[in-house]
């Protein structure tokens, strides 16, 4: 059974810092990995999707990498802003397009 | 563009009462549809998924059921709610590999 772990569970940084969120998964036979953002009481917003054949994806200040063989992904946020404060969720897809989620990292960026 | 709607946004129901949550998708055809639950202190859990009208698969045994009466409509139901059914319910859709989520329904069972 696939298990997804996200470290740290919570993170507080001053504005302007670069930061890295970590995601690990136990079954490396994934089809893709997706990073989401969730604001309090809201649904999930898809940030980046990395296919299993890819090593990284970039969108603006966000960069996500994937090392399938070691079961790891990182989300890099450059020059963090208070508006980046949210919970970030990592999810992997195995067969059947089913997402297995990690527990999330709650990020607070202080002005 | 595609949009996904869920209603109601919030719901407070007594134990033993029935439940019906609705999800609709616009701007796409024959999507895969999903129901997830996010309970306090627990991660997001897949409850049901559907690859077509009338085709429902359940991931976990539970007090809930799902139906897909139309291509872009997905309904989550219960005949008698339990306290443990409280949580944040999210509907999602996909056509290729990426999943897109709705705004969610906050259910509190009292």
């Amino acid at each position: 059974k696939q298990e997804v772990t996200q470290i740290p569970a919570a993170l507080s940084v001053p504005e302007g810092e670069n930061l890295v969120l970590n995601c690990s998964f136990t079954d490396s036979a994934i089809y893709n990995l997706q990073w989401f953002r969730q604001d309090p009481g809201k649904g999930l917003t898809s940030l980046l999707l990395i296919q299993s054949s890819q090593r990284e994806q970039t969108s603006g200040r966000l960069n996500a990498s994937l090392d399938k063989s070691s079961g790891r992904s990182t989300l890099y946020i450059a020059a963090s802003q208070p508006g980046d404060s949210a919970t970030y969720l990592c999810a992997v897809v195995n067969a059947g397009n089913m997402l297995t989620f990690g527990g999330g990292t709650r990020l607070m960026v202080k002005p | 563009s595609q949009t996904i709607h869920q209603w109601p946004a919030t719901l407070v129901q007594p134990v033993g009462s029935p439940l019906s949550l609705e999800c609709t998708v616009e701007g796409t055809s024959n999507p895969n549809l999903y129901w997830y639950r996010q309970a306090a202190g627990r991660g997001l859990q897949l409850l049901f998924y559907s690859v077509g009208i009338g085709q429902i698969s359940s991931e976990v045994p539970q007090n809930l059921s799902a139906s897909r009466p139309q291509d872009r409509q997905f309904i989550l139901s219960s005949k008698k709610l339990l306290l443990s059914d409280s949580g944040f319910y999210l509907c999602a859709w996909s056509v290729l590999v990426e999943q897109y989520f709705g705004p969610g329904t906050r259910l509190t069972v009292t």
Side-chain angles (χ1 to χ4, degrees):
Chain A
K1 180 186 173 186
Q2 179 72 271
E3 292 183 4
V4 182
T5 304
Q6 290 187 246
I7 295 172
L11 183 62
S12 181
V13 300
E15 181 177 6
E17 271 202 10
N18 302 323
L19 54 99
V20 175
L21 308 182
N22 296 292
C23 171
S24 61
F25 45 95
T26 55
D27 183 355
S28 62
I30 65 169
Y31 287 95
N32 59 63
L33 183 145
Q34 203 166 348
W35 281 94
F36 295 89
R37 168 186 173 137
Q38 186 176 29
D39 292 288
K42 305 293 184 182
L44 275 62
T45 300
S46 179
L47 297 173
L48 291 164
L49 173 80
I50 310 177
Q51 308 253 25
S52 63
S53 59
Q54 298 174 319
R55 302 270 312 170
E56 65 177 339
Q57 282 286 341
T58 298
S59 176
R61 294 183 293 109
L62 305 179
N63 176 277
S65 67
L66 173 64
D67 184 343
K68 220 175 77 159
S69 60
S70 67
R72 294 179 184 178
S73 176
T74 61
L75 178 67
Y76 176 81
I77 303 177
S80 58
Q81 303 170 358
D84 294 330
S85 299
T87 296
Y88 290 81
L89 293 159
C90 161
V92 300
V93 177
N94 293 97
N97 204 27
M98 306 304 155
L99 284 172
T100 302
F101 282 87
T105 293
R106 192 170 61 255
L107 172 66
M108 176 167 290
V109 180
K110 298 178 180 177
Chain B
S1 65
Q2 301 87 1
T3 55
I4 179 169
H5 304 280
Q6 285 188 246
W7 64 91
T10 60
L11 191 59
V12 180
Q13 293 282 100
V15 168
S17 64
L19 173 74
S20 181
L21 303 181
E22 190 163 344
C23 169
T24 58
V25 181
E26 296 177 356
T28 187
S29 297
N30 197 30
N32 294 333
L33 296 173
Y34 310 84
W35 278 112
Y36 292 86
R37 177 170 61 203
Q38 191 174 37
R42 300 170 70 178
L44 268 156
Q45 181 183 38
L46 177 66
L47 301 176
F48 299 96
Y49 68 94
S50 171
V51 299
I53 295 174
Q55 301 178 61
I56 310 293
S57 296
S58 173
E59 284 297 292
V60 293
Q62 57 202 309
N63 182 44
L64 303 168
S65 62
S67 61
R68 185 171 177 173
Q70 300 180 41
D71 181 45
R72 290 170 287 178
Q73 184 184 29
F74 206 20
I75 297 173
L76 184 70
S77 304
S78 174
K79 292 181 180 178
K80 290 185 178 181
L81 284 168
L82 306 172
L83 283 174
S84 58
D85 292 323
S86 292
F88 191 49
Y89 288 82
L90 289 159
C91 180
W93 69 273
S94 70
V95 172
L96 297 174
V97 295
E98 195 163 355
Q99 289 194 21
Y100 301 93
F101 283 75
T105 295
R106 173 75 59 190
L107 172 66
T108 303
V109 182
T110 60

